[in-house]
Amino acid sequence: MNKLLRTLAILIGVLVVVGIAAALILPRVIDPNIYRDRIAALVKEKTGRELVIAGDIGWSVFPWLGVELGEVRLANAAGFGDAPFARVGGMQVRVKLMPLLRKEVEMSTVVLEGLQLNLAKDKSGRTNWEDLLTTKPGAKPEEEKPAETAAAPLAAFAIGGVQIRDAQLVWDDRAAGSRQSIEQLDIQLGAIEGN
């Protein structure tokens, strides 16, 4: 019995060391920046808009599965000018790894640095975000999956908070001929939980 416990303790120790080594080595060996073009192509396919990830993509593995992005820009809708619809100077999103195994999502505080959001309405009343909310013409609606193959719902969902620093919001209503903006906006939201 004593030998079994010792073997089990050694096995657990080896697994812990391998896990720590993987958490330290994987982010240095696997470069997430190679997926930049795929991400941009997927966004273009789904929205018809250009996505530019100008900054580096960094990531971590344990105990948080995290992604850190530099500058990211999403192009504006056609007919709304060259200024991007949205731009973020930097972004951090982290999810606890172990709760994912229980189908629970526990995120730390989501941080957005230097968010610039350019909302507009043209003279005909069309907004520059409505194409993001509707399906493309000619696109086939997604078929409903049978109950046995449908994704299982999350057991729990929690975000530690949302922090937006140095944001700029612009509302350009060309139909009314008015333009308003809010600059140097800081927003901090507390924890968000759902079941």
Side-chain angles (χ1 to χ4, degrees):
M1 182 70 167
N2 206 8
K3 191 173 183 178
L4 177 65
L5 289 176
R6 174 187 259 180
T7 305
L8 189 59
I10 290 172
L11 181 61
I12 291 172
V14 168
L15 289 175
V16 168
V17 169
V18 168
I20 291 171
L24 295 173
I25 294 170
L26 282 177
R28 289 166 177 73
V29 174
I30 299 173
D31 184 11
N33 290 293
I34 62 175
Y35 298 104
R36 229 185 264 242
D37 293 338
R38 281 192 210 168
I39 295 168
L42 184 62
V43 169
K44 179 76 171 177
E45 175 189 322
K46 298 293 182 186
T47 68
R49 297 191 189 197
E50 295 285 330
L51 178 75
V52 176
I53 303 172
D56 285 335
I57 302 173
W59 71 295
S60 62
V61 177
F62 192 81
W64 296 90
L65 182 59
V67 175
E68 192 170 324
L69 298 171
E71 183 182 0
V72 178
R73 294 184 306 269
L74 180 63
N76 220 332
F80 285 94
D82 293 333
F85 171 73
R87 179 195 166 279
V88 177
M91 170 193 257
Q92 296 174 4
V93 179
R94 298 186 313 163
V95 179
K96 268 193 179 173
L97 193 56
M98 296 310 284
L100 286 176
L101 301 175
R102 298 185 304 265
K103 296 185 181 178
E104 298 175 359
V105 176
E106 288 184 32
M107 298 176 74
S108 69
T109 300
V110 176
V111 179
L112 299 174
E113 291 274 353
L115 171 67
Q116 294 177 350
L117 191 57
N118 296 305
L119 302 175
K121 180 169 41 168
D122 67 11
K123 291 183 179 181
S124 68
R126 183 177 64 100
T127 61
N128 67 340
W129 67 84
E130 67 187 36
D131 63 319
L132 297 174
L133 303 176
T134 59
T135 57
K136 291 183 189 177
K140 295 179 183 176
E142 290 187 26
E143 295 179 18
E144 283 194 34
K145 297 178 182 177
E148 64 271 1
T149 61
L154 291 174
F157 180 81
I159 298 176
V162 177
Q163 193 172 69
I164 302 173
R165 300 182 197 139
D166 195 26
Q168 177 185 13
L169 303 176
V170 175
W171 169 242
D172 185 9
D173 187 348
R174 296 172 188 168
S178 67
R179 181 180 170 93
Q180 289 94 26
S181 68
I182 301 172
E183 297 181 8
Q184 298 178 342
L185 177 66
D186 292 335
I187 300 171
Q188 181 144 358
L189 303 174
I192 301 168
E193 293 185 24
N195 293 347

